Coordinates of all heavy atoms in Angstrom, one line a residue:
G232 N -14.3 19.2 -37.5 CA -14.5 18.9 -39.0 C -13.5 17.9 -39.5 O -13.2 17.9 -40.7
T233 N -13.0 17.1 -38.7 CA -12.0 16.1 -39.1 C -12.5 14.7 -39.2 O -11.8 13.8 -39.7 CB -10.8 16.1 -38.2 OG1 -11.3 15.9 -36.8 CG2 -10.0 17.4 -38.2
E234 N -13.7 14.5 -38.7 CA -14.2 13.1 -38.6 C -15.4 12.9 -39.5 O -16.2 13.7 -39.7 CB -14.6 12.8 -37.2 CG -13.6 13.2 -36.1 CD -12.2 12.6 -36.4 OE1 -12.1 11.5 -36.7 OE2 -11.2 13.4 -36.2
T235 N -15.5 11.6 -40.0 CA -16.7 11.2 -40.6 C -17.8 11.0 -39.5 O -17.5 10.9 -38.3 CB -16.5 9.9 -41.3 OG1 -16.2 8.9 -40.3 CG2 -15.4 10.0 -42.4
E236 N -19.0 10.9 -39.9 CA -20.1 10.6 -39.0 C -19.8 9.4 -38.2 O -20.0 9.3 -37.0 CB -21.4 10.6 -39.7 CG -22.6 10.3 -38.8 CD -22.9 11.5 -37.8 OE1 -22.3 12.6 -37.9 OE2 -23.5 11.2 -36.7
D237 N -19.4 8.3 -38.9 CA -19.1 7.1 -38.2 C -18.0 7.3 -37.2 O -18.1 6.7 -36.1 CB -18.6 6.1 -39.3 CG -18.4 4.7 -38.7 OD1 -19.3 4.2 -38.0 OD2 -17.4 4.1 -39.0
S238 N -17.0 8.0 -37.6 CA -15.9 8.3 -36.6 C -16.3 9.1 -35.4 O -16.0 8.8 -34.3 CB -14.8 9.0 -37.4 OG -13.8 9.5 -36.4
V239 N -17.2 10.0 -35.6 CA -17.7 10.8 -34.5 C -18.4 9.9 -33.5 O -18.2 10.0 -32.3 CB -18.6 12.0 -35.0 CG1 -19.4 12.6 -33.8 CG2 -17.9 13.0 -35.7
L240 N -19.3 9.0 -34.1 CA -20.1 8.2 -33.2 C -19.2 7.2 -32.4 O -19.4 7.0 -31.2 CB -21.1 7.4 -34.0 CG -22.2 8.3 -34.7 CD1 -23.1 7.5 -35.6 CD2 -23.0 9.1 -33.7
K241 N -18.2 6.7 -33.1 CA -17.3 5.8 -32.4 C -16.5 6.5 -31.3 O -16.3 6.0 -30.2 CB -16.3 5.1 -33.4 CG -16.9 4.0 -34.2 CD -15.9 3.5 -35.2 CE -16.5 2.3 -36.0 NZ -15.8 2.0 -37.2
R242 N -16.1 7.7 -31.6 CA -15.3 8.4 -30.6 C -16.2 8.8 -29.4 O -15.7 8.8 -28.3 CB -14.7 9.7 -31.3 CG -13.5 9.4 -32.1 CD -13.1 10.6 -33.0 NE -12.1 10.3 -33.9 CZ -10.8 10.4 -33.8 NH1 -10.3 11.0 -32.7 NH2 -9.9 10.0 -34.7
L243 N -17.4 9.1 -29.7 CA -18.3 9.5 -28.6 C -18.6 8.3 -27.7 O -18.7 8.4 -26.5 CB -19.6 10.1 -29.1 CG -19.5 11.5 -29.8 CD1 -20.8 11.9 -30.4 CD2 -19.1 12.5 -28.7
A244 N -18.8 7.1 -28.4 CA -19.0 5.9 -27.6 C -17.8 5.6 -26.7 O -17.9 5.3 -25.5 CB -19.3 4.7 -28.5
Q245 N -16.6 5.8 -27.3 CA -15.4 5.5 -26.5 C -15.2 6.6 -25.5 O -14.7 6.3 -24.4 CB -14.2 5.5 -27.5 CG -12.8 5.3 -26.8 CD -12.7 4.0 -26.1 OE1 -13.4 3.1 -26.4 NE2 -11.7 3.9 -25.2
A246 N -15.7 7.8 -25.8 CA -15.5 8.9 -24.8 C -16.2 8.6 -23.5 O -15.7 8.9 -22.4 CB -16.1 10.2 -25.4
K247 N -17.3 7.9 -23.5 CA -18.0 7.5 -22.3 C -17.1 6.6 -21.4 O -17.1 6.8 -20.2 CB -19.3 6.8 -22.6 CG -20.4 7.7 -23.2 CD -21.7 7.0 -23.4 CE -22.7 7.8 -24.2 NZ -23.0 9.1 -23.6
K248 N -16.4 5.7 -22.1 CA -15.5 4.9 -21.3 C -14.3 5.7 -20.8 O -13.9 5.5 -19.6 CB -15.0 3.7 -22.2 CG -16.1 2.8 -22.7 CD -15.5 1.8 -23.6 CE -16.6 1.0 -24.4 NZ -16.1 0.3 -25.5
E249 N -13.8 6.6 -21.6 CA -12.7 7.4 -21.2 C -13.1 8.3 -20.0 O -12.3 8.4 -19.0 CB -12.2 8.2 -22.3 CG -11.7 7.5 -23.5 CD -10.2 7.0 -23.4 OE1 -9.5 7.5 -22.5 OE2 -9.8 6.1 -24.2
L250 N -14.3 8.8 -20.0 CA -14.7 9.7 -19.0 C -14.9 8.9 -17.7 O -14.6 9.4 -16.6 CB -16.1 10.4 -19.4 CG -15.9 11.5 -20.4 CD1 -17.2 11.9 -20.9 CD2 -15.1 12.6 -19.9
E251 N -15.5 7.7 -17.8 CA -15.6 6.8 -16.6 C -14.2 6.5 -16.0 O -14.0 6.5 -14.8 CB -16.4 5.5 -17.0 CG -16.6 4.6 -15.9 CD -17.3 5.2 -14.7 OE1 -18.1 6.1 -14.8 OE2 -16.9 4.9 -13.5
F252 N -13.3 6.3 -16.9 CA -11.9 6.0 -16.5 C -11.4 7.2 -15.7 O -10.7 7.0 -14.7 CB -11.1 5.7 -17.7 CG -9.6 5.3 -17.4 CD1 -9.3 4.2 -16.7 CD2 -8.6 6.1 -17.9 CE1 -8.0 3.9 -16.4 CE2 -7.3 5.8 -17.7 CZ -7.0 4.7 -16.9
G253 N -11.6 8.4 -16.3 CA -11.1 9.6 -15.6 C -11.8 9.8 -14.2 O -11.1 10.2 -13.3
R254 N -13.0 9.4 -14.2 CA -13.8 9.6 -12.9 C -13.3 8.6 -11.8 O -13.4 8.8 -10.6 CB -15.3 9.4 -13.1 CG -16.0 10.6 -13.6 CD -17.5 10.5 -13.5 NE -18.0 9.6 -14.6 CZ -18.5 10.0 -15.7 NH1 -18.4 11.3 -16.0 NH2 -18.9 9.2 -16.6
Q255 N -12.7 7.5 -12.3 CA -12.3 6.5 -11.3 C -11.1 6.9 -10.5 O -10.7 6.3 -9.5 CB -11.9 5.2 -12.0 CG -13.1 4.4 -12.5 CD -12.7 3.3 -13.5 OE1 -11.5 3.0 -13.7 NE2 -13.7 2.7 -14.1
G256 N -10.5 8.0 -10.9 CA -9.4 8.5 -10.1 C -8.1 8.0 -10.7 O -8.1 7.3 -11.7
G257 N -7.0 8.2 -10.0 CA -5.7 7.7 -10.4 C -4.9 8.7 -11.2 O -3.8 8.5 -11.5
F258 N -5.6 9.8 -11.5 CA -4.8 10.9 -12.2 C -4.3 11.9 -11.1 O -5.0 12.2 -10.2 CB -5.7 11.6 -13.2 CG -5.9 10.8 -14.5 CD1 -6.9 9.8 -14.5 CD2 -5.0 10.9 -15.5 CE1 -7.1 9.0 -15.7 CE2 -5.2 10.1 -16.7 CZ -6.2 9.2 -16.7
D259 N -3.1 12.4 -11.4 CA -2.6 13.4 -10.5 C -3.4 14.7 -10.6 O -3.4 15.5 -9.6 CB -1.1 13.7 -10.8 CG -0.3 12.4 -10.6 OD1 -0.5 11.7 -9.6 OD2 0.5 12.1 -11.5
K260 N -3.9 14.9 -11.7 CA -4.6 16.2 -12.0 C -5.7 16.0 -13.0 O -5.6 15.3 -14.0 CB -3.6 17.2 -12.5 CG -4.2 18.6 -12.9 CD -4.4 19.4 -11.7 CE -5.0 20.8 -12.0 NZ -5.5 21.5 -10.8
V261 N -6.9 16.6 -12.7 CA -8.0 16.6 -13.7 C -8.3 18.0 -14.0 O -8.5 18.9 -13.1 CB -9.2 15.9 -13.1 CG1 -10.4 16.0 -14.0 CG2 -9.0 14.4 -12.8
I262 N -8.3 18.3 -15.3 CA -8.6 19.7 -15.7 C -9.8 19.6 -16.6 O -9.9 18.9 -17.6 CB -7.4 20.3 -16.5 CG1 -6.2 20.4 -15.6 CG2 -7.8 21.6 -17.1 CD1 -4.9 20.8 -16.4
V263 N -10.8 20.4 -16.2 CA -12.0 20.6 -17.1 C -11.7 21.7 -18.1 O -11.5 22.8 -17.7 CB -13.3 20.9 -16.2 CG1 -14.5 21.1 -17.1 CG2 -13.5 19.8 -15.2
N264 N -11.7 21.3 -19.3 CA -11.3 22.3 -20.4 C -12.6 22.9 -20.9 O -13.2 22.6 -21.9 CB -10.6 21.6 -21.5 CG -10.3 22.6 -22.7 OD1 -10.2 23.8 -22.4 ND2 -10.1 22.0 -23.9
E265 N -13.0 24.0 -20.1 CA -14.2 24.7 -20.5 C -13.7 26.0 -21.2 O -13.8 26.1 -22.4 CB -15.0 25.1 -19.3 CG -16.3 25.8 -19.7 CD -17.4 25.8 -18.6 OE1 -17.0 25.4 -17.4 OE2 -18.5 26.0 -18.9
D266 N -13.1 26.9 -20.4 CA -12.4 28.0 -21.0 C -11.0 27.7 -21.3 O -10.2 27.3 -20.4 CB -12.5 29.2 -20.0 CG -11.8 30.4 -20.6 OD1 -10.5 30.5 -20.4 OD2 -12.4 31.3 -21.1
L267 N -10.6 27.8 -22.6 CA -9.3 27.3 -23.0 C -8.1 28.0 -22.3 O -7.2 27.3 -21.8 CB -9.1 27.5 -24.5 CG -7.9 27.0 -25.1 CD1 -7.7 25.5 -24.9 CD2 -7.8 27.3 -26.6
D268 N -8.2 29.2 -22.1 CA -7.1 29.9 -21.5 C -7.0 29.5 -20.0 O -5.9 29.4 -19.5 CB -7.2 31.5 -21.6 CG -7.0 31.9 -23.0 OD1 -6.2 31.2 -23.7 OD2 -7.6 32.9 -23.5
K269 N -8.1 29.4 -19.4 CA -8.1 29.0 -18.0 C -7.6 27.6 -17.8 O -6.8 27.2 -16.9 CB -9.5 29.0 -17.4 CG -9.9 30.4 -17.0 CD -11.2 30.4 -16.2 CE -11.8 31.8 -16.0 NZ -13.3 31.8 -15.9
A270 N -8.0 26.7 -18.7 CA -7.5 25.3 -18.7 C -6.0 25.3 -18.9 O -5.3 24.5 -18.3 CB -8.3 24.5 -19.7
Y271 N -5.5 26.1 -19.9 CA -4.1 26.1 -20.1 C -3.3 26.5 -18.9 O -2.3 26.0 -18.5 CB -3.8 27.0 -21.3 CG -2.3 27.0 -21.5 CD1 -1.6 25.9 -22.1 CD2 -1.5 28.1 -21.1 CE1 -0.2 25.9 -22.2 CE2 -0.1 28.1 -21.2 CZ 0.5 27.0 -21.7 OH 1.9 27.0 -21.8
K272 N -3.9 27.6 -18.3 CA -3.2 28.1 -17.1 C -3.1 27.1 -16.0 O -2.1 26.9 -15.4 CB -4.0 29.4 -16.6 CG -3.3 30.2 -15.6 CD -3.9 31.6 -15.5 CE -3.3 32.4 -14.4 NZ -3.8 32.1 -13.1
E273 N -4.2 26.4 -15.9 CA -4.2 25.3 -14.8 C -3.2 24.2 -15.1 O -2.5 23.7 -14.3 CB -5.7 24.7 -14.8 CG -6.1 24.2 -13.5 CD -7.5 23.7 -13.5 OE1 -8.3 24.2 -14.2 OE2 -7.8 22.7 -12.7

Side-chain angles (χ1 to χ4, degrees):
T233 54
E234 312 305 319
T235 62
E236 180 62 18
D237 185 48
S238 170
V239 167
L240 296 177
K241 283 178 177 163
R242 284 169 190 262
L243 289 174
Q245 178 65 16
K247 290 186 189 300
K248 297 178 194 165
E249 298 277 344
L250 289 170
E251 181 52 36
F252 181 63
R254 278 193 284 269
Q255 285 167 8
F258 286 86
D259 300 312
K260 177 75 179 169
V261 175
I262 296 173
V263 177
N264 179 22
E265 183 160 18
D266 177 277
L267 183 60
D268 288 331
K269 280 189 191 152
Y271 176 75
K272 192 161 175 284
E273 209 177 328

